[in-house]
Every structure is written in C-alpha cells, then in structure tokens.
Amino acid sequence: MNAVDYLRISLIDRCNFRCQYCMPEGAELNYVLRQQLLTDEELLRLIQEVFIPVGFTRFRLTGGEPLLRPGVIEIVRAIAAFPQTQDLAMTTNGFLLAGMAQALYNAGLRRINISLDSLDPDTFDQIIGNRGRSRWQQVWQGIQAAYQVGFDPLKLNVVVIPGVNDREVLDLAALTIDRQWHVRFIEFMPIGNSQLFGDRGWIASEELRQRIRDSFGLTESQVRGSGPADVFQIPGAKGTLGFISQMSECFCDRCNRMRLSADGWLRPCLLNEGNQIDLKTPLRAGTQMAQLRQEVRQLLAIKPEINFKQRESGTTGAYSRTMSQIGG
C-alpha cells in the first residue's frame, strides 16, 4: 500500500467557468461564505502542525478555481517555504494564468496542470458553460505563458466526453509531439451529475489508446507519474500521454492522496463521501493540535478500507457535493 503523503487543497469553491462535468447545468450551487472558508492562517497552521507531522509532504492547490483565491501567491510562497514540502503543484483552468504565471513561479510553484478540454473554441465554450465572449484564447495564452516561464512538467487535463470532444483526441495527443507537454485524458466521472450525458457516460482509456496507437503508434513511457495516470508516449515525442481511468480500471491500491475542502473538511476518497472529518470547527474552538493530528492519523489508518470496500457506495447514490465543491 502506498504511503499517503499527497494532499489536494481546495482554496476556494467558486469558479469563473461552469464546466458541465464539474458544475451540472441548472444546479444551484450554495457557495461557501467567505467566513466559512479556512483563512490563510488556519490553512497554513493545519499544513504545518497537522498534515506535515503525520507525513504529508506533497501538496496540490485546487478549487473551484484556485487563482480566484485572494492572496494565492502568498499562500504558494508560504507552503513552498516549509522545509518539509517536497512538491507543490496547482490545477487551474488557466483563464487568469497569463498574468500570474511568473509570480506563481517566483513564489515557488513548479508544476501546473491546466484544464484544456478542446482545441475548438466553440466546443470549449460549450463545455465550460460559457454564454458570452469566447474564453479559449485567454486560456491558450495562459498555457503559453506557463510554458515560457518554465513550468515543468506542464500538464494539460482533458476530460473526454463522448459526442462532445472525443473526436479531438488525436489532435490533443499530437500536442505532445513537438512540445514537452504532458496531455492527460481523464474518464468523465458522474459525481453529482450522473444524468448529465445520459448513457453516453465515459469512454474507456483503452479505447482512446487504441485510436492513438492506430494513428501515431504508442509506447509505454519511461516516465512514471506519482499519481493514478498510466503514462504512454508517441514514439519520438517530446511530451507524454497520461490516462486516468477511474471508471474503467480501479487504481485504489495506488492512491496516495486525501482532499481538504475549502471549508476545512478532510475527505479520504474522491469516490466515497463517507468518513470525512471536519477540521475547521475544532480548530476554531481551540482544540489542541495533537488531537487533530490523532484524528487524521486514524483516518489514514482506515483509508485502505474506505478505498476498496466502499468504492461503490459513493458512485451509485447522489452526491451532496459536486466536483467543484470537492476540489476535483
């Protein structure tokens, strides 16, 4: 069993996009009020006095859209400065990235994942739920800025949706040929929105791999990620292709992560809503940090059980939080 040393931290549950797979259309989301969010001080204290002491050394900042969080550069700088921090990454939609990439890099961020579900501006706007001016160009500029600043690896996340963007799989894969970019195809997950695409659901990663294999060839990459992606490469390409197959292939035995929501709930498994613990309320009530550490240790101890035995309990029923509220 992997050591669980990787914490995904949601900085905010708001987003400037409404991607259908993340925020179902028509769903009225109750955003966390600002006073219910962990403050910068509370978040950093939890990292330093609870998560690092129990073994977390790698952190990823998510949302919602993390670049909407006020003071995000300072948060990055503070986490990067902890001597125990071995890795600090961010997942963003890239819309605000062009103007912030250099500052984020200077603050200590080194790895970045940017969501890019389509190379076609119209399809892109359909997926992100945009009704006004196209946002594709600004996201593309954010990707270019991150690349020029020196983020490595630069990863592009693609949620593949049948009948919407699956015809672009080859074009997206081809981005890795001449650039040291890492494109990751993610099976659509019906979390909080199981009715969204009806029976179209998701496309198994193996089917996508076969399409790419038929066109370009495909080899298993020498690069091995630390997460759930199976990594491949088009022969001779500078970048890699990753496949995250949470629907067609179980990777619970490789799971090394937990998730902290913007309002302070620690969630041990994305696909299971059980066993979450509230850290914010006891923190604000003055509970001793040793007590919080003990609670997190207990959760770490039972995580393998949560991963495996209750894997189905989350995906069949209704979720109380959408993906955007979990921190994706």
Side-chain angles (χ1 to χ4, degrees), residues 157 184-187 205 228-230 242-247 251:
N157 290 350
R184 292 141 52 92
F185 295 107
I186 302 170
E187 289 177 357
S205 291
D230 295 305
F243 297 85
I244 299 180
S245 317
Q246 65 283 359
M247 299 306 289
F251 48 70

Side-chain angles (χ1 to χ4, degrees), residues 76-98:
V76 166
R77 185 174 289 113
I79 298 173
F82 291 139
Q84 299 91 341
T85 299
Q86 292 179 11
D87 185 44
L88 179 58
M90 178 181 284
T91 298
T92 171
N93 62 31
F95 187 67
L96 298 173
L97 187 57

Side-chain angles (χ1 to χ4, degrees), residues 5 18 21 30 45 53 69 81 95 105 127 132 143-144 167 175 195 200 203 216-217 228 233 241 273 307 317:
D5 60 358
R18 282 194 68 105
Y21 53 77
N30 295 314
R45 193 171 171 215
R69 169 84 180 220
F95 187 67
Y105 191 87
I127 292 171
I143 293 168
Q144 302 293 337
R167 65 184 182 279
L175 291 175
Q195 307 312 308
R200 287 186 291 171
I203 300 177
F216 300 114
Q233 211 157 13
L241 297 170
E273 287 204 315
N307 285 351

Side-chain angles (χ1 to χ4, degrees), residues 157-277:
N157 290 350
V158 182
V159 175
V160 181
I161 307 167
V164 180
N165 65 347
D166 59 316
R167 65 184 182 279
E168 295 186 62
V169 165
L170 295 178
D171 293 336
L172 287 157
L175 291 175
T176 66
I177 295 174
D178 298 324
R179 306 170 180 86
Q180 209 165 350
W181 292 1
H182 305 272
V183 173
R184 292 141 52 92
F185 295 107
I186 302 170
E187 289 177 357
F188 163 69
M189 266 193 289
I191 288 193
N193 50 13
S194 57
Q195 307 312 308
L196 176 54
F197 298 112
D199 57 6
R200 287 186 291 171
W202 42 273
I203 300 177
S205 291
E206 181 48 40
E207 185 184 324
L208 302 181
R209 285 195 290 268
Q210 193 55 54
R211 288 193 211 171
I212 297 166
R213 206 175 277 127
D214 292 344
S215 290
F216 300 114
L218 197 62
T219 57
E220 292 215 25
S221 173
Q222 300 309 305
V223 180
R224 183 76 196 98
S226 57
D230 295 305
V231 186
F232 292 78
Q233 211 157 13
I234 293 170
K238 292 182 179 176
T240 64
L241 297 170
F243 297 85
I244 299 180
S245 317
Q246 65 283 359
M247 299 306 289
S248 66
E249 304 161 25
C250 175
F251 48 70
C252 289
D253 58 334
R254 299 214 302 264
C255 184
N256 61 346
R257 61 199 60 196
M258 287 194 182
R259 287 169 163 77
L260 181 67
S261 70
D263 57 347
W265 282 84
L266 184 64
R267 181 182 182 118
C269 173
L270 175 61
L271 288 171
N272 176 10
E273 287 204 315
N275 299 93
Q276 300 181 77
I277 57 174

Side-chain angles (χ1 to χ4, degrees), residues 20 27 44 48 103 117 135-136 139 143 153 257 277 279 286 319:
Q20 294 175 307
L44 295 171
Q48 190 171 25
D117 294 316
R135 296 183 162 192
W136 186 89
V139 170
I143 293 168
R257 61 199 60 196
I277 57 174
L279 295 175
Y319 278 84

Side-chain angles (χ1 to χ4, degrees), residues 44-69:
L44 295 171
R45 193 171 171 215
L46 284 173
I47 294 171
Q48 190 171 25
E49 298 183 37
V50 176
F51 291 111
I52 286 174
V54 303
F56 287 91
T57 57
R58 300 185 303 141
F59 306 98
R60 175 175 293 276
L61 303 176
T62 69
E65 171 47 49
L67 295 182
L68 291 176
R69 169 84 180 220

